Each structure stands twice: as structure tokens, then as C-alpha cells.
Amino acid sequence: MGSLGGEPKLPWNNTPCALSPQLTRIAGCNIYLKLDNLQPSGSFKSRGIGNLMTRAVATSTGNVHFYCSSGGNAGLACATSAVALQRPATIVIPLTTSEMMKNKLLDLGVEVHQTGKNLAAADEYLRTELLAKNPHGVYVPPFDHPHVWDGASTIIPELREQMDEPIDAIVCSVGGGGLFNGLMQGIESFPWSGHKPDIVGVETLGADSMNASLKANAHITLPEITSIATSLGCSRVSAETWKWCQYPNTHSLVVTDADAAISCVRFADDARHLVEVSCGAALATVYKGDLRERLGRGLTDVEWAQKNIVVIVCGGSGVTLGILDQYVREYASKTSIKI
């Protein structure tokens, strides 16, 4: 794992929450940015995966070796957490994973295997060829585990400490639902004076398994993922997400790939942060005006202006300036969001 000194430390950080003047002006209400793109791995997944791995080390009597199949943010969260905990990790990525992402993993000193035409095939290889043969192996799931949700839930006490104002709503992107689950779990664990915060879960069209389930009034699986937001590309949300999304303080919104992609471009200008398109989904609700439409119905402009909404900037490492330029060329004409 490279030259590591000192004691192991927690694999995630408290992150800033800052009022955004630019997004506040666009939304017409106070927009706060919870900057989880500043986690060690570049995404919120450091919280959940880091918590699961920390617990595994604490409860193990042997030399834990972590195994994760991921072509993106979960793999990076596993790798950075392994470095922090001073334990070995093996990441199996599918053949579709970019060289950029592969090199980011290799730079962290973890073992990387690239095999399988998709994530399911990579995961099958990990389980049968690697994990099954190591008695000290610990499987690291990307989102569907109580310890992952516990880690994601740490956002809520941080927000309560950071914000003097009441939190009216929290907006997050939804893939498999790990972040959404953690936020709901965190909200339910605290007493709230007055109205408890609403949670707005946002998906891209073609990766909208939560919204499709709500429309069908049944926990369904999408036949395929057609969105470019591969980090949100989960054909079926977790059973826990299906439970939470039926609570009265939850909302489900769907944006297009073009909306999410161009929101990343706008956000780079407005906030000076680079985030990937899966994070752009949540940001798109501000740039398109969806938040006012969903949460501000019946409110006057003055009443809406007093609302305090937190957008989880969940981050993601699958983005470069070149990718943002490509989004401008491909999607600028396909969305009402101006750049």
C-alpha cells in the first residue's frame, strides 16, 4: 500500500456547507452547497464505504483484505479508505472503465484487475476468483448495506451544526439509493422544531429506477440503463430506498442527460468545482427551476425567497475539462439551461 506512517484515521471528512450566491439568485431561494466532492475519494461514497470498512477492521480478528467491484466512485472510495485504514484492497473494474479511472486507482497503490464486459461480469470474477479464495476477504458493496447508510447519514448532524437557519429541503442525486437512505435515516434520528426537511431525490431519464417504481406503485427493475450518468446507472434501487421514498417528506424528480451535463458546465463557472454528470442531476433542479415548481407551489416570491435548501454536491471523479467541453458540443442545444 506504499509508505504509510502513523495511526489509521477515519476515511472521510466533515465537509463545508456554503451559501451559493449564484445558485441562490437562479433559484430565487437560499441554496446551500454541501461540498462532499471534497471527500478524500472525490465523492460522498467515502462516508458510507469508509464507515463499512472501518467497522470491518474494528470487528475483525485477522488481516482484513478488502474487495470491491467498481468502475468508478465506489472503487475510489474503497481504495482511499484502504489507504487511510492501512489495509490492502483489490478493485476489479470492467473493460469499459476508462484509463483515467484505472490510473487513479493504481496511483493509490491498490491492486487492480480489469476484466468482464460489464460491472456484473467484473463482480462475478471478484466473488468467484478472488474473494472466495481469501479467508480474510471482506466484500465492499457500493450502496446496499446498513453500514453504508450509517456513513451517509453523518451528513445530517454536520448540516445541523453548520447551519443556523432551518433546513427546509435537501436535494440529492439517486442511483442505488445509498445517499438517499442515509439522509432519510439521519433526518428520522433527530427531533425537528416544526417541519422536518423534505428530501428531493433526483435521477436522470434512463436511470430513473426510483421514479419508475413510484409511478408503477411497485418496486420494479428497469429493463436497461440508457443514461450517460453511469454512476446513477442502477436498474433497481435498494429495498430500503423503496421503503423511504414512500414517506410524505420525499419527492422524486427526473432530469435529462442534457440537463445534468450542462448543469455540470454551469456549475464549473458558478462554483469553480468540477463534478460529474451524476452530480449534475441534483444541480439541474436549480438551473431548470424544478425546485420552485415542486417545493414552492402556492408560495409568494417573498415566501419562497426565505426557504433554505441544501444541495448535496456528491462529486464524482469521472470528469475532466475535456469532458465538459464535449458536453457543451453535444448537449447545449438539447436543454433550456443556458451557458
Side-chain angles (χ1 to χ4, degrees), residues 16-166:
C17 181
L19 180 70
S20 170
Q22 295 87 356
L23 274 74
T24 292
R25 176 179 51 78
I26 293 162
C29 68
N30 298 315
I31 298 293
Y32 292 83
L33 303 174
K34 182 59 170 160
L35 298 171
D36 250 38
N37 57 314
L38 301 180
Q39 290 292 352
S41 68
S43 86
F44 77 98
K45 284 188 179 289
S46 285
R47 291 180 187 268
I49 286 175
N51 183 58
L52 180 142
M53 292 171 62
T54 301
R55 290 190 183 206
V57 168
T59 56
S60 172
T61 55
N63 298 313
V64 173
H65 187 122
F66 293 105
Y67 292 89
C68 179
S69 57
S70 167
N73 295 315
L76 281 171
C78 178
T80 53
S81 298
V83 170
L85 295 167
Q86 300 179 19
R87 295 295 188 278
T90 298
I91 316 296
V92 178
I93 58 177
L95 296 171
T96 51
T97 300
S98 68
E99 280 297 302
M100 176 187 75
M101 194 62 72
K102 180 180 178 180
N103 289 334
K104 285 188 177 188
L105 291 167
L106 290 170
D107 285 345
L108 288 162
V110 296
E111 184 181 342
V112 178
H113 294 240
Q114 188 162 24
T115 184
K117 63 179 181 179
N118 53 34
L119 191 56
D123 189 65
E124 177 68 17
Y125 173 85
L126 178 143
R127 289 174 181 273
T128 57
E129 296 300 319
L130 302 175
L131 184 62
K133 297 173 183 178
N134 187 343
H136 301 298
V138 172
Y139 182 73
V140 179
F143 63 87
D144 197 0
H145 194 285
H147 293 172
V148 172
W149 312 330
D150 290 343
S153 75
T154 59
I155 290 175
I156 298 299
E158 278 179 40
L159 286 175
R160 285 172 63 97
E161 194 170 296
Q162 290 169 324
M163 290 185 62
D164 298 324
E165 303 80 4

Side-chain angles (χ1 to χ4, degrees), residues 120-317:
D123 189 65
E124 177 68 17
Y125 173 85
L126 178 143
R127 289 174 181 273
T128 57
E129 296 300 319
L130 302 175
L131 184 62
K133 297 173 183 178
N134 187 343
H136 301 298
V138 172
Y139 182 73
V140 179
F143 63 87
D144 197 0
H145 194 285
H147 293 172
V148 172
W149 312 330
D150 290 343
S153 75
T154 59
I155 290 175
I156 298 299
E158 278 179 40
L159 286 175
R160 285 172 63 97
E161 194 170 296
Q162 290 169 324
M163 290 185 62
D164 298 324
E165 303 80 4
I167 304 170
D168 293 298
I170 301 173
V171 184
C172 70
S173 297
V174 175
L179 176 57
F180 182 87
N181 296 349
L183 293 172
M184 286 298 292
Q185 183 177 305
I187 285 172
E188 291 298 316
S189 67
F190 283 102
W192 299 87
S193 56
H195 177 73
K196 72 174 63 170
D198 285 296
I199 294 287
V200 182
V202 191
E203 299 167 292
T204 49
L205 189 65
D208 49 338
S209 49
M210 183 172 90
N211 188 266
S213 294
L214 286 166
K215 283 183 175 177
N217 199 27
H219 188 193
I220 66 169
T221 303
L222 295 178
E224 61 177 333
I225 299 295
T226 57
S227 170
I228 63 167
T230 53
S231 295
L232 303 183
C234 188
S235 60
R236 183 181 177 90
V237 292
S238 70
E240 188 80 354
T241 307
W242 174 235
K243 180 192 84 173
W244 283 125
C245 71
Q246 295 172 76
Y247 274 54
N249 63 323
T250 65
H251 306 264
S252 172
L253 289 175
V254 179
V255 300
T256 66
D257 281 349
D259 294 334
I262 296 303
S263 292
C264 294
V265 177
R266 277 290 302 270
F267 193 65
D269 283 340
D270 289 339
R272 303 297 188 266
H273 288 277
L274 295 190
V275 295
E276 68 181 40
V277 69
S278 54
C279 181
L283 296 167
T285 63
V286 175
Y287 288 120
K288 281 191 67 192
D290 291 344
L291 287 184
R292 176 71 189 266
E293 193 177 309
R294 178 58 61 96
L295 299 176
R297 286 178 188 164
L299 298 181
T300 65
D301 288 348
V302 172
E303 290 169 331
W304 175 246
Q306 295 170 350
K307 295 297 181 184
N308 302 302
I309 298 177
V310 177
V311 178
I312 308 296
V313 182
C314 56
S317 294

